[in-house]
Amino acid sequence: AQSVTQLDSHVSVSEGTPVLLRCNYSSSYSPSLFWYVQHPNKGLQLLLKYTSAATLVKGINGFEAEFKKSETSFHLTKPSAHMSDAAEYFCVVSPQGNYGQNFVFGPGTRLSVLP
Amino acid sequence: EAGVTQFPSHSVIEKGQTVTLRCDPISGHDNLYWYRRVMGKEIKFLLHFVKESKQDESGMPNNRFLAERTGGTYSTLKVQPAELEDSGVYFCASSPLGWTDTQYFGPGTRLTVL
């Protein structure tokens, strides 16, 4: 069985300050892990993914995440927040090389960026 | 390349009515998934097609929901009769067959049942 916990339902940061969105997972398999972002009235966009290569994964728009197996974590970070980063972020787990198995989503973290 | 498209973007119906949601996957993607997010809760898996066949429908909530994928192209999700608790956002995603794990999502259909 797999599950995802996103420890913060809402995170608020000032523009130009670092962003940290936390994600912990539970998986019976070696997982693939993803971060997706949903801007208002838009679809889910893939930010980055981990699939057993480098543990530090770089994504789009300056985001990165580090896979820590010992902590079962996959936290999302960005050095400097931009107003356009305001959105909802979802951590997702799937069996590695899942051959089409379904995703398990975390509850989401809403990021607000203050001017 | 066009992404996953969903129609309609919004639907408002009354309890007891029927609604049909449509998803057009990325061309050539044989995997097609339906998910939904109800009342601000987690996005939950509903079902998975491989081409025209249902691979996994373990997430379908009850027999009021019927999904089809004729010819292995677009898919429809019919809710009949709709209940209040069916309100939410229904997402469709697609991916190619084989060694792949990334799913590409559509914008979703927001369903409101009054």
Side-chain angles (χ1 to χ4, degrees):
Chain A
Q2 299 170 100
S3 65
V4 180
T5 302
Q6 291 182 244
L7 298 167
D8 305 296
S9 59
H10 185 214
V11 170
S12 184
V13 301
S14 296
E15 189 174 22
T17 63
V19 176
L20 170 63
L21 305 183
R22 296 181 291 171
C23 171
N24 288 88
Y25 69 92
S26 172
S27 178
S28 304
Y29 307 91
S30 295
S32 291
L33 293 159
F34 306 79
W35 277 97
Y36 280 82
V37 60
Q38 186 181 24
H39 289 91
N41 301 315
K42 301 288 186 181
L44 291 159
Q45 180 185 20
L46 178 67
L47 270 181
L48 50 80
K49 67 177 182 181
Y50 165 78
T51 53
S52 81
T55 56
L56 182 62
V57 181
K58 295 188 182 298
I60 62 172
N61 300 334
F63 284 94
E64 62 182 36
E66 186 172 9
F67 173 71
K68 292 186 177 180
K69 186 175 181 179
S70 61
E71 299 177 9
T72 61
S73 70
F74 190 56
H75 301 334
L76 181 70
T77 60
K78 183 174 180 178
S80 177
H82 191 273
M83 296 295 289
S84 61
D85 295 328
E88 190 163 19
Y89 293 78
F90 297 92
C91 185
V92 178
V93 66
S94 178
Q96 195 173 93
N98 65 11
Y99 291 101
Q101 295 186 45
N102 56 285
F103 279 1
V104 175
F105 281 79
T109 297
R110 187 166 299 279
L111 176 65
S112 297
V113 182
L114 306 175
Chain B
E1 178 183 276
V4 177
T5 58
Q6 293 187 245
F7 182 82
S9 57
H10 293 86
S11 180
V12 181
I13 61 172
E14 294 190 350
K15 177 182 172 181
Q17 290 185 321
T18 297
V19 62
T20 300
L21 313 181
R22 174 172 169 145
C23 168
D24 286 79
I26 292 172
S27 178
H29 282 193
D30 289 325
N31 287 308
L32 187 150
Y33 310 82
W34 284 98
Y35 295 83
R36 75 171 180 176
R37 190 180 194 190
V38 175
M39 294 293 289
K41 296 185 179 178
E42 288 92 337
I43 299 171
K44 294 284 194 183
F45 167 77
L46 294 178
L47 87 160
H48 169 211
F49 284 99
V50 178
K51 298 185 180 179
E52 67 275 8
S53 299
K54 292 176 184 175
Q55 181 77 10
D56 180 356
E57 52 185 328
S58 60
M60 295 287 265
N62 51 61
N63 60 10
R64 296 185 293 104
F65 289 76
L66 175 65
E68 295 180 325
R69 191 182 183 193
T70 306
T73 55
Y74 70 91
S75 174
T76 58
L77 180 65
K78 180 189 288 187
V79 185
Q80 179 183 28
E83 298 288 345
L84 299 179
E85 62 265 26
D86 301 332
S87 295
V89 181
Y90 290 76
F91 292 101
C92 177
S94 71
S95 70
L97 276 179
W99 181 267
T100 180
D101 45 22
T102 301
Q103 296 181 17
Y104 300 87
F105 284 81
T109 293
R110 181 174 296 277
L111 174 64
T112 301
V113 182
L114 303 175

